[in-house]
Amino acid sequence: MKIIAAALVSASMLFAVPAHATIERTQFGETPDHKKVDLYTLTNVHGLVARISTYGGAVVALEVPDRNGKLADIVRGFDSVSGYLVPSNSNIGALMGRFANRIKGAQFTLEGKTYHLAVNSEGNSIHGGLIGFDKRVWSAVAHDGPSPSLSLTYVSPDGEEHYPGTVKVTVTYTLTADNSLNIDYGATTDRPTVLNLTNHSYFNLKGHADGDVLQHRMQIFANTMTHRDSDGTANGKIEPVKGTDFDFTKPTPISTHINDSNPQIAGPQGYDHFFIINGKAGTLRLGARVEEPTTGRVLEMLTTQPGVQLYTANALIEFPGKGGVRYLPHTAFCLETQHSNNSPNIPEFPSTELKPGQHFHEVTVFRFTTLR
């Protein structure tokens, strides 16, 4: 592994296809408490590039080709760790936990004991609390090879953000020779706890600085979704999507219903909803496919998780992104593979409990191709 004491490497330096896959480490800044943050650049044999920060395990950049072979960076991010230190920005591209998404009332009961969490979203707890996994510096081990990978580990102590149990989490990012970014999640605990992990990357297949995603054609392989209460939490009701504003069972431009008066969409000013992926949870299966017609880029998402939260970047990011870009609403989308929000409070939903002796394991794949 080559170590470079520099800031972000220019994307233009990596447009040529490398002779072999590489992984490099650069300095990315430090936190207010003087913890050093590194940036790892993974390049596969076809020239695809993934840049991953040890702060929050964030995917900072992801450079993939269009139908003409031209690379573009297709994810939101920041030029140094300072951008991620703004509280509202910390989840951009990051690993979310202990519990991704919302827990209603900021509390849950597990094995007869009620745990009270920090309130940080409309009376609820979201994305692990005030200082979730997205705001932690993870330890890193790089792996060379035809498909370079980076293993990130964080040990969350018992009582952190009021969750029970010491939880050891290892997430491995692999940039494969067949043009996929694979994310492998693993965790163990020494006490019963709840766990829901995801990656919160914001995609724009035109390029992160190239306008809205409204004409991206979205297909989600889900016949049902969870009902969203006004505060964004699931209430246990499962609804069919066919014929509704949430019907992405066939390729559909994101714009088709995003401005409808349906309160489920008008409330969050776009999509912020959980879809239950068809097929058996725990098996790797196709969950979504997104086409961008002007560049020809295609993103296919496969996962073992029960479902996916579709979020259409409904909020304005005030802090400038990479290259000074101002990230406006609906200029990206997220496919957050996970269990449904509020699952600890809905016994009918698949359990998110992790017990001592069990091994949490989930896989998500983002595969990149182009339209012919």
Side-chain angles (χ1 to χ4, degrees):
M1 181 186 73
K2 186 177 181 182
I3 300 176
I4 303 175
L8 272 172
V9 180
S10 170
S12 62
M13 295 172 61
L14 295 167
F15 276 9
V17 175
H20 54 84
T22 62
I23 183 166
E24 301 175 341
R25 176 163 64 97
T26 62
Q27 297 172 3
F28 200 48
E30 63 178 41
T31 64
D33 57 351
H34 306 295
K35 291 181 180 178
K36 300 294 185 182
V37 177
D38 292 327
L39 185 76
Y40 285 82
T41 298
L42 289 65
T43 306
N44 79 356
V45 291
H46 303 294
L48 273 72
V49 177
R51 305 186 199 280
I52 299 166
S53 167
T54 55
Y55 185 80
V59 178
V60 173
L62 189 56
E63 299 161 17
V64 302
D66 64 8
R67 58 163 58 92
N68 297 315
K70 182 180 178 181
L71 290 177
D73 183 358
I74 62 164
V75 294
R76 286 183 176 181
F78 302 96
D79 289 322
S80 71
V81 74
S82 61
Y84 296 91
L85 298 177
V86 178
S88 61
N89 296 347
S90 64
N91 68 7
I92 306 297
L95 299 173
M96 312 309 297
R98 284 191 194 189
F99 202 94
N101 218 318
R102 300 164 177 86
I103 295 180
K104 192 175 186 67
Q107 66 179 39
F108 65 92
T109 300
L110 182 65
E111 299 196 350
K113 182 176 179 179
T114 298
Y115 295 89
H116 297 275
L117 311 173
V119 175
N120 60 347
S121 175
E122 301 182 68
N124 307 309
S125 183
I126 190 171
H127 291 329
L130 299 177
I131 307 178
F133 290 177
D134 56 316
K135 300 178 181 68
R136 304 293 182 178
V137 178
W138 296 56
S139 61
V141 177
H143 309 279
D144 291 309
S147 295
S149 65
L150 180 70
S151 294
L152 298 173
T153 298
Y154 177 68
V155 178
S156 176
D158 181 37
E160 183 174 77
E161 289 295 322
H162 307 292
Y163 286 91
T166 297
V167 175
K168 181 179 181 180
V169 180
T170 298
V171 179
T172 299
Y173 289 100
T174 303
L175 190 61
T176 70
D178 64 353
N179 294 350
S180 296
L181 180 65
N182 294 0
I183 311 176
D184 188 290
Y185 303 89
T188 57
T189 184
D190 65 353
R191 288 181 58 194
T193 191
V194 295
L195 190 68
N196 192 25
L197 303 177
T198 195
N199 171 272
H200 208 306
S201 286
Y202 287 67
F203 296 98
N204 183 331
L205 298 183
K206 291 186 293 186
H208 78 100
D210 289 336
D212 65 56
V213 295
L214 296 179
Q215 297 311 307
H216 284 54
R217 295 194 291 258
M218 175 76 66
Q219 185 173 14
I220 301 177
F221 297 89
N223 296 329
T224 56
M225 61 179 290
T226 59
H227 182 85
R228 182 188 194 277
D229 280 348
S230 60
D231 63 358
T233 59
N235 58 16
K237 185 178 180 182
I238 296 175
E239 300 175 324
V241 302
K242 195 68 175 176
T244 72
D245 292 346
F246 305 94
D247 188 352
F248 289 101
T249 55
K250 296 180 180 178
T252 303
I254 293 174
S255 64
T256 304
H257 296 292
I258 200 169
N259 293 315
D260 285 8
S261 60
N262 185 332
Q264 283 274 298
I265 296 177
Q269 298 180 308
Y271 291 99
D272 192 5
H273 299 81
F274 184 79
F275 293 78
I276 301 169
I277 297 172
N278 299 337
K280 184 180 179 180
T283 61
L284 189 65
R285 63 215 190 279
L286 187 61
R289 188 176 191 274
V290 188
E291 302 174 350
E292 202 294 296
T294 62
T295 64
R297 292 190 181 93
V298 176
L299 166 60
E300 293 179 314
M301 180 276 288
L302 301 90
T303 190
T304 59
Q305 296 265 30
V308 60
Q309 185 87 5
L310 171 64
Y311 179 56
T312 49
N314 305 325
L316 169 68
I317 303 298
E318 296 285 359
F319 191 89
K322 288 175 289 191
V325 174
R326 188 165 175 257
Y327 293 133
L328 300 175
H330 302 163
T331 57
F333 65 90
C334 303
L335 293 171
E336 306 164 54
T337 59
Q338 57 188 271
H339 281 249
S340 172
N341 73 80
N342 202 30
S343 285
N345 293 315
I346 305 175
E348 296 79 14
F349 282 6
S351 176
T352 54
E353 182 178 0
L354 181 65
K355 297 180 180 181
Q358 294 179 335
H359 180 68
F360 176 98
H361 184 227
E362 300 285 358
V363 176
T364 292
V365 175
F366 294 113
R367 184 168 61 200
F368 300 97
T369 59
T370 55
L371 298 170
R372 295 182 178 180

